Amino acid sequence: MSSIIQLLPDHVANQIAAGEVVQRPASVVKELMENAVDAKATNIKLIVKDAGKSLIQVIDNGVGMSITDSRLCFERHATSKIRHAEDLFSLHTKGFRGEALASIAAIAHVEMKTKQDQEELGTHIIIEGSKFVSQEPSVLPKGTSFSVKNLFFNIPARRNFLKSDTVEQRYIVDEFQRVAMAHPNIHFTMYHNGSEMFNLPVSNFRQRIVNIFSGKTNEKLVPAKEETEIVNLHGFIGKPEFSKKNRGEQFFFVNNRFIKSGYLHHAVMAAYEGLLSTGAQPSYFLYLDVPPHTIDINIHPTKTEIKFDDEHALYAILRSSIKHSLGQFNVAPILDFDRDPNLDTPYQYQNKEAEYPTIQVDRQYNPFSEEKPSKAFTSSSSSSSNYKKPEAQPSWESLYVGLKQAGQEIAEMTFENDAVTSSLFEENEIEQEVKRTYQIQKKYIVSPIKSGMVIINQKRAHERVLYEGFLTSMTVHQASSQQMLFPLQLNYSSAEIELLAELKSSLENTGFIFESINEDSVVISGLPVNVTESEIAIVLEELLSDLHDGIPDSSFSQNDTIAKSMAKSLAVKTGTYLTEKEQENLVHNLFACREPNVSPFQKPTFITMSVEDLDKKFSL
């Protein structure tokens, strides 16, 4: 019997490894930029076309590679950072496993140009699908340039799984921002389809954060710092009033490497306990420096998850330091037991004695006497009294004196007393005004029907009404708007501004009027009829959060997503009291919808209970 097990060819093994390392174009950006940082570059340029599907190019001015290294770097497990197994637990660099370039070369057309400072000529290498096409000397500037073209050209199935250009571009921007924030001492620039997206000069950590997220980020930040034997913590946290619904501005960096940690995130949320509304997420940009031997960063293919030796101590330090920062900068409420200075005695009255008021008494006053009291008081100071006995008012009989004497008789009016002998309707047929709807626990609306009653979930019902209204407005392009007296300016990050620019036409069909869209802000001058000025920021924030994973390609799906998001934001919340008129309007509008049975999220809006069902309940 022939053997079944066999060794994989190198190009197949490289493609399998690429499945772990290169999941999308953003993975290539991450690996190439980290290599440029390890090469001690001070200027790194990222050029992207078609969201990385056509071209990803990273140019740096680092140390470059020799002829031998430039050829060897594309071999599997070729690395300059590891010599022994123990080196895995004392890493100070980014890439170290030696799989990135080999994996990228297996699934794309790669062109590399590199030159060391002391060499006269550099090396120009072209690889297509793990096959070396050419290698020749060339006149090049110092540093390295990697060009990755036609990603997944030989694996069409992987290419088909990529999302739209907008989504893939957002992933690339995320990776670019993570590397740029970890290294403010490096000048980063990014170009997409020929236009400059970021130009980040050398700066400190705070200025780098402000340059990336623009807007009014600077006034949102509160510094946090703590130095212990376990960890040195520094960075910035956001003020609670600037919290958002999404988690887009939350960053942990451990030894200048971006990581994701639900455990550390929980520590931050514990520090904000009592300061955030339900579902709100604070912003934080925290840098943790720990001894390399206390962490293991090789537990995840993308190295975004690491393992700490003493997680509990790190949790406590992180939570307490953030609480301290919030209290130190008067962000968190504190109990102040200091005395109120307003209760102190004024300076000019400190040495003065209190003056007692004088008492004035009329000792000759007799309430039962009809005579006027004398003006002489027994008190020596009685002359200053202004007491005066009120004059007697005339009695009510005096008002009628003289009426009959003047010959005026009081006319007596008689009314015809007709007894109602019959009624148009029988007494049991008289329709009395009764309340048609009832609200239970400020959550459900009960409305009686012939066969029993209908119990309506007020939040889901309102979502359905708003959803169909917005969808109709966007489809017919006849939305009504209310003009604002003063235009409202809202600040967003560059990625959010780009997303709003794409949604502008659809939002205008719902009733929004955008006066201008700038680099870091939007100016709104008109609103949909059922949106108040205080709800604008909430509606747009939740919309951006819902579309964070990408805008649907088709216009109908895009309108559907926007309508669902706005309906969810504007729907009446559970716990809101509704008047009887509001209850009736909601019930009538719900059953006027095309699909009143379910909410936009396919959940039931109401249930019915017949009299027979009630009878069964009482027959138990």
Side-chain angles (χ1 to χ4, degrees):
M1 183 177 179
S2 61
S3 59
I4 300 176
I5 299 175
Q6 59 183 353
L7 294 176
L8 287 173
D10 287 342
H11 69 280
V12 177
N14 286 338
Q15 289 184 3
I16 294 174
E20 296 182 357
V21 179
V22 185
Q23 300 174 352
R24 52 176 22 105
S27 305
V28 178
V29 172
K30 174 181 181 295
E31 298 291 347
L32 295 183
M33 290 189 65
E34 288 182 348
N35 286 344
V37 171
D38 288 341
K40 302 178 182 179
T42 59
N43 195 324
I44 299 175
K45 183 185 296 184
L46 172 63
I47 302 173
V48 177
K49 290 184 180 179
D50 299 330
K53 298 174 183 177
S54 299
L55 173 66
I56 299 173
Q57 185 176 8
V58 175
I59 305 171
D60 67 72
N61 62 346
V63 296
M65 287 182 284
S66 64
I67 297 177
T68 304
D69 290 344
S70 61
R71 180 68 180 261
L72 195 60
C73 69
F74 290 101
E75 299 295 331
R76 291 193 65 197
H77 306 304
T79 179
S80 61
K81 287 102 176 180
I82 302 296
R83 293 291 182 268
H84 306 283
E86 292 78 10
D87 294 340
L88 289 171
F89 300 97
S90 60
L91 292 169
H92 299 273
T93 56
K94 306 288 186 184
F96 57 88
R97 293 186 299 190
E99 292 183 355
L101 296 182
S103 301
I104 295 170
I107 56 175
H109 297 164
V110 178
E111 181 179 1
M112 184 186 72
K113 300 176 182 179
T114 182
K115 175 184 172 296
Q116 292 180 326
D117 191 18
Q118 66 274 15
E119 298 292 335
E120 294 183 0
L121 296 176
T123 305
H124 183 193
I125 295 178
I126 298 177
I127 303 176
E128 296 180 357
S130 294
K131 297 179 181 180
F132 277 83
V133 176
S134 66
Q135 178 177 351
E136 56 187 15
S138 180
V139 178
L140 302 169
K142 174 196 171 184
T144 304
S145 171
F146 270 99
S147 298
V148 179
K149 304 175 183 177
N150 304 324
L151 193 65
F152 300 125
F153 79 100
N154 53 356
I155 311 179
R158 291 287 300 276
R159 192 178 182 90
N160 292 336
F161 275 102
L162 294 179
K163 296 185 178 180
S164 64
D165 287 357
T166 305
V167 179
E168 296 298 339
Q169 175 63 15
R170 191 171 300 115
Y171 282 116
I172 292 175
V173 171
D174 289 343
E175 293 294 347
F176 176 84
Q177 291 176 348
R178 292 167 183 174
V179 178
M181 272 192 288
H183 302 278
N185 58 331
I186 301 177
H187 184 184
F188 289 93
T189 52
M190 178 179 175
Y191 299 87
H192 181 233
N193 291 339
S195 61
E196 182 180 272
M197 291 190 64
F198 293 97
N199 189 348
L200 310 175
V202 177
S203 60
N204 55 26
F205 284 107
R206 187 179 193 125
Q207 191 60 42
R208 176 56 58 89
I209 295 171
V210 173
N211 288 339
I212 289 177
F213 292 99
S214 64
K216 297 184 178 180
T217 307
N218 190 37
E219 64 185 50
K220 304 177 185 178
L221 302 179
V222 174
K225 188 174 183 180
E226 190 72 34
E227 294 185 2
T228 65
E229 296 180 355
I230 299 176
V231 60
N232 290 335
L233 170 68
H234 65 97
F236 301 92
I237 56 178
K239 296 179 181 178
E241 59 265 27
F242 294 104
S243 60
K244 297 183 177 182
K245 292 293 183 180
N246 57 28
R247 299 174 58 174
E249 296 182 3
Q250 297 179 346
F251 297 88
F252 282 116
F253 298 93
V254 176
N255 295 351
N256 290 335
R257 182 192 300 273
F258 171 79
I259 67 157
K260 297 178 181 178
S261 174
Y263 189 69
L264 297 183
H265 172 74
H266 189 274
V268 176
M269 296 302 293
Y272 277 91
E273 185 178 3
L275 300 177
L276 301 174
S277 58
T278 304
Q281 294 288 334
S283 301
Y284 55 80
F285 312 88
L286 298 174
Y287 301 83
L288 289 75
D289 295 327
V290 299
H293 65 273
T294 62
I295 58 175
D296 184 3
I297 60 178
N298 200 26
I299 64 172
H300 194 272
T302 60
K303 295 169 285 187
T304 55
E305 297 179 8
I306 64 177
K307 183 175 178 60
F308 297 94
D309 282 353
D310 195 350
E311 288 185 336
H312 297 289
L314 199 62
Y315 182 99
I317 293 171
L318 184 60
R319 178 176 176 271
S320 61
S321 62
I322 294 176
K323 264 188 170 299
H324 176 71
S325 296
L326 291 173
Q328 182 180 7
F329 291 91
N330 294 327
V331 176
I334 58 175
L335 293 176
D336 188 3
F337 293 101
D338 294 340
R339 57 185 172 79
D340 188 353
N342 294 325
L343 301 179
D344 293 344
T345 304
Y347 178 77
Q348 60 270 24
Y349 292 101
Q350 285 184 356
N351 298 324
K352 289 187 177 182
E353 295 183 359
E355 296 182 0
Y356 297 95
T358 57
I359 302 176
Q360 300 175 358
V361 180
D362 182 6
R363 298 186 180 277
Q364 297 182 2
Y365 173 69
N366 184 2
F368 301 100
S369 174
E370 296 182 359
E371 298 180 358
K372 295 182 180 181
S374 63
K375 294 183 180 181
F377 289 174
T378 58
S379 174
S380 59
S381 61
S382 62
S383 60
S384 62
S385 175
N386 294 324
Y387 175 79
K388 186 177 182 181
K389 183 178 180 181
E391 298 180 358
Q393 297 292 335
S395 60
W396 65 271
E397 292 91 345
S398 62
L399 299 175
Y400 298 93
V401 174
L403 288 179
K404 292 187 177 182
Q405 295 177 358
Q408 297 179 358
E409 298 290 338
I410 300 177
E412 295 182 0
M413 299 179 65
T414 59
F415 296 93
E416 182 178 1
N417 187 12
D418 294 335
V420 179
T421 57
S422 63
S423 175
L424 184 62
F425 300 99
E426 295 296 332
E427 184 176 351
N428 58 353
E429 294 181 4
I430 297 176
E431 184 177 358
Q432 299 179 353
E433 184 178 358
V434 295
K435 190 173 182 180
R436 301 298 300 172
T437 58
Y438 303 86
Q439 190 178 26
I440 300 177
Q441 296 294 324
K442 297 180 181 179
K443 184 176 182 180
Y444 300 104
I445 298 175
V446 179
S447 179
I449 55 177
K450 290 183 179 180
S451 60
M453 62 179 176
V454 177
I455 303 175
I456 302 170
N457 186 307
Q458 65 183 32
K459 181 177 183 296
R460 297 179 184 177
H462 200 203
E463 286 178 350
R464 165 54 63 177
V465 174
L466 292 175
Y467 167 75
E468 292 199 3
F470 285 129
L471 206 58
T472 302
S473 299
M474 287 187 285
T475 305
V476 183
H477 304 288
Q478 293 181 353
S480 300
S481 300
Q482 51 181 338
Q483 194 73 21
M484 298 177 63
L485 185 60
F486 300 103
L488 179 65
Q489 179 175 341
L490 300 174
N491 296 282
Y492 296 101
S493 64
S494 56
E496 292 172 336
I497 290 293
E498 184 180 355
L499 192 58
L500 284 174
E502 296 183 34
L503 300 174
K504 179 182 177 182
S505 59
S506 298
L507 290 175
E508 287 177 341
N509 291 333
T510 65
F512 281 99
I513 299 177
F514 291 90
E515 190 171 294
S516 64
I517 297 182
N518 306 316
E519 293 182 357
D520 57 356
S521 64
V522 296
V523 180
I524 299 175
S525 58
L527 303 176
V529 176
N530 51 357
V531 179
T532 62
E533 184 175 349
S534 60
E535 295 174 326
I536 302 176
I538 300 174
V539 170
L540 293 182
E541 183 182 331
E542 293 197 2
L543 177 62
L544 292 173
S545 177
D546 293 338
L547 294 175
H548 181 70
D549 293 333
I551 303 176
D553 294 331
S554 64
S555 59
F556 174 77
S557 299
Q558 185 179 125
N559 292 343
D560 182 71
T561 304
I562 294 174
K564 285 181 179 178
S565 178
M566 294 182 64
K568 180 178 64 175
S569 304
L570 297 171
V572 59
K573 302 296 185 290
T574 299
T576 303
Y577 171 76
L578 300 179
T579 63
E580 182 179 353
K581 189 66 176 177
E582 292 172 337
Q583 297 173 28
E584 292 180 356
N585 287 339
L586 182 58
V587 173
H588 294 160
N589 292 335
L590 173 64
F591 290 103
C593 293
R594 294 181 179 179
E595 297 183 14
N597 297 329
V598 293
S599 71
F601 305 97
Q602 302 304 313
K603 294 182 179 179
T605 56
F606 67 89
I607 60 172
T608 57
M609 292 191 67
S610 63
V611 178
E612 289 77 9
D613 295 334
L614 294 174
D615 291 340
K616 291 179 182 178
K617 296 290 184 182
F618 285 101
S619 64
L620 296 177

